[in-house]
Amino acid sequence: MKNIAILGFGTVGAGVADVIAASHNKICREIHDVVNVKYILDLKDFPESKYADRVVHDFDIILNDPEVEIICETMGGTKVAFDYTMRALSAGKSVVTSNKEVVAAYGKLLCDVAREKGVRYLYEASVGGGIPILRTIKTSLAANEIYGIDGILNGTTNYILTHMKDDGTSFAEALSQAQQKGYAELNPKADVDGDDACRKICILAALAFGTMISQSSVNCEGISSVTLDTIEKAEKFGGSIKLIASARKMKGEKIDISVSPCVVSNENPLSNVSDVFNAIMIHAQHLGDVMMYGRGAGKLPTASAVLSDIIEIIKSGKGSEQETWTIADPGTLSDNFKVFDTFCIYVPYSFGARKEKVLSLFGNTTESFEDADGFGFIVENISRNKIRKALHSIDVKDYSVFRYIK
Ligand code: HSE
């Protein structure tokens, strides 16, 4: 029998217990053994739950029980979650987690401790909810250099943008629905401000490029400034507004990472990713572009990813070495404002901006549309800094710019 302990009996933790119960036979067939949830650590009791007799409040009970080989950290937050994870790994127990905050902040340290102790620290559920993206990068794409990743990595914001666009739901109402469905973080500011997507793209970049960029050095913009008007403008540009997290290898080993609302062209499959779904498009050396799509948040999808790690640990036994990464040197991250890309620019007529004069500043423009309030156009191969400089040169300071994903 393989005994596990679940730390935190919230949405994901309860999902892990439910998946183990619902798929008991399938899991037994996979591991040729039985998985047993021996303990559930939480501040609360759950007297109505069928697991009520396994609830404990003292982590040391779990730590000191030699029968517990795998600990499943689904607590959220960083302080206590990191402390328990460190203590568990140091005591020779493997840990699996859905906690992207801990992985993004302390992943390198925890992987190193796991490697030293001959155990595993796995975090498939920390990115893309149920989508098996990390294992795919590590195994199926192992022969490819990864050139870049563009992803919709936050289910809550994608849910909000989808419902604002499709049903005219207000931002606040859509967020409240996402909270009720168990998609949002405890503090949904992390979703709305892009921090959650930022953590996930940093984790993806660490695996894809072998180097972890600190989340705090990434330029991260969320969706709080996106209005129904922005969504309509994106449609006029021939696309949809999506919160896109990107990581790209640039010349000279620099890495470009960004999180921002972008206009995704209707021809790009990412534009059809709606509701809580996530999708990750990987630009790989030999394979070319490949996209994985699935539920990016929610109880059972996320628990499915947690279970995949538990099963991997049991199946590989001590025979598999923990992967790790390096921490990027300062200066590895490129300045987003200097990166050349394609941008959608909208200039309102207020303050006297003249279309011909504005367009004459840019070489490669596609004039997309004109409406009662202003005009929009797309420029290729330009940086945000150059756009600002050009427009400021004719005193146009009131404009909006979105990266365009073709
Ligand atoms: N709040 C996260 C999201 C949960 O909405 O994507 C899954 O990581």
Side-chain angles (χ1 to χ4, degrees), residues 100 125-126 129 153-157 183-185 191 196 200 278 296-297:
K100 51 263 159 149
S126 67
L153 297 179
N154 182 267
T156 301
T157 45
Y183 302 154
E185 298 300 296
D191 298 294
D196 179 74
K200 292 168 177 168
N278 281 193

Side-chain angles (χ1 to χ4, degrees), residues 213 217-219 246-258 328-341 385:
I213 301 277
S217 47
V218 174
N219 208 336
S246 294
R248 297 180 272 189
K249 264 273 178 63
M250 311 299 280
K251 280 191 193 125
E253 294 306 302
K254 286 225 176 214
I255 294 173
D256 178 53
I257 299 193
S258 61
D329 294 329
T332 304
L333 193 64
S334 61
D335 179 348
N336 294 145
F337 288 84
K338 293 185 180 159
V339 170
F340 280 62
D341 217 320
N385 272 355

Side-chain angles (χ1 to χ4, degrees), residues 14 33 60 128 195 207 223 231-232 284 319 361 382:
D33 204 335
D60 284 339
D195 297 327
L207 273 186
I223 62 161
I231 289 170
E232 277 168 25
L361 297 168
I382 193 164

Side-chain angles (χ1 to χ4, degrees), residues 57-105:
H57 306 298
D58 179 1
F59 179 60
D60 284 339
I61 295 173
I62 296 169
L63 199 64
N64 295 328
D65 185 338
E67 285 187 356
V68 175
E69 292 176 42
I70 301 173
I71 290 183
C72 173
E73 188 273 292
T74 48
M75 302 171 67
T78 47
K79 205 171 172 305
V80 181
F82 167 73
D83 178 43
Y84 287 178
T85 302
M86 187 57 127
R87 288 167 66 194
L89 293 170
S90 303
K93 298 181 192 294
S94 290
V95 177
V96 301
T97 188
S98 57
N99 190 331
K100 51 263 159 149
E101 217 176 329
V102 169
V103 180

Side-chain angles (χ1 to χ4, degrees), residues 89-381:
L89 293 170
S90 303
K93 298 181 192 294
S94 290
V95 177
V96 301
T97 188
S98 57
N99 190 331
K100 51 263 159 149
E101 217 176 329
V102 169
V103 180
Y106 305 110
K108 152 87 177 140
L109 175 61
L110 295 169
C111 287
D112 286 349
V113 173
R115 186 194 276 244
E116 193 189 307
K117 293 288 174 183
V119 291
R120 307 291 299 282
Y121 179 58
L122 298 184
Y123 42 89
E124 180 64 66
S126 67
V127 180
I131 305 172
I133 183 65
L134 303 187
R135 194 159 283 110
T136 300
I137 292 177
K138 283 188 286 188
T139 58
S140 310
L141 297 178
N144 292 255
E145 288 291 346
I146 307 291
Y147 297 139
I149 299 168
D150 293 309
I152 294 173
L153 297 179
N154 182 267
T156 301
T157 45
N158 207 43
Y159 183 93
I160 294 171
L161 293 175
T162 301
H163 288 276
M164 282 172 76
K165 182 180 174 200
D166 292 353
D167 335 321
T169 310
S170 72
F171 190 105
E173 172 56 24
L175 172 58
S176 156
Q177 288 174 10
Q179 285 177 294
Q180 282 159 30
K181 287 172 188 279
Y183 302 154
E185 298 300 296
L186 219 50
N187 178 0
K189 215 171 148 355
D191 298 294
V192 170
D193 291 349
D195 297 327
D196 179 74
C198 187
R199 285 168 194 141
K200 292 168 177 168
I201 194 69
C202 288
I203 296 169
L204 283 173
L207 273 186
F209 309 139
T211 311
M212 176 51 112
I213 301 277
S214 157
Q215 183 204 343
S216 59
S217 47
V218 174
N219 208 336
C220 172
E221 187 190 337
I223 62 161
S224 51
S225 62
V226 174
T227 61
L228 283 175
D229 182 58
T230 324
I231 289 170
E232 277 168 25
K233 294 244 164 39
E235 284 177 340
K236 292 178 185 167
F237 277 114
S240 301
I241 285 278
K242 297 283 179 196
L243 185 67
I244 298 290
S246 294
R248 297 180 272 189
K249 264 273 178 63
M250 311 299 280
K251 280 191 193 125
E253 294 306 302
K254 286 225 176 214
I255 294 173
D256 178 53
I257 299 193
S258 61
V259 177
S260 62
C262 296
V263 176
V264 181
S265 150
N266 289 334
E267 277 148 44
N268 187 312
L270 286 171
S271 73
N272 292 320
V273 177
S274 303
D275 221 81
V276 72
F277 285 87
N278 281 193
I280 301 110
M281 174 84 82
I282 299 191
H283 312 290
Q285 183 183 12
H286 305 299
L287 176 61
D289 289 352
V290 58
M291 185 169 109
M292 294 193 84
Y293 166 86
R295 289 183 185 277
K299 185 176 182 179
L300 298 181
T302 311
S304 157
V306 173
L307 258 298
S308 77
D309 283 343
I310 294 175
I311 291 169
E312 178 181 326
I313 291 170
I314 295 172
K315 278 173 111 169
S316 63
K318 299 266 175 199
S320 203
E321 199 179 55
Q322 174 69 42
E323 84 278 345
T324 185
W325 56 68
T326 57
I327 300 289
D329 294 329
T332 304
L333 193 64
S334 61
D335 179 348
N336 294 145
F337 288 84
K338 293 185 180 159
V339 170
F340 280 62
D341 217 320
T342 304
F343 292 95
C344 297
I345 304 171
Y346 182 83
V347 181
Y349 288 128
S350 50
F351 306 107
R354 278 189 31 240
K355 191 173 86 180
E356 294 70 30
K357 189 151 189 203
V358 169
L359 293 184
S360 71
L361 297 168
F362 300 97
N364 275 340
T365 66
T366 317
E367 190 186 333
S368 286
F369 68 90
E370 195 168 353
D371 59 20
D373 302 321
F375 56 95
F377 55 100
I378 296 174
V379 188
E380 289 180 17
N381 202 23

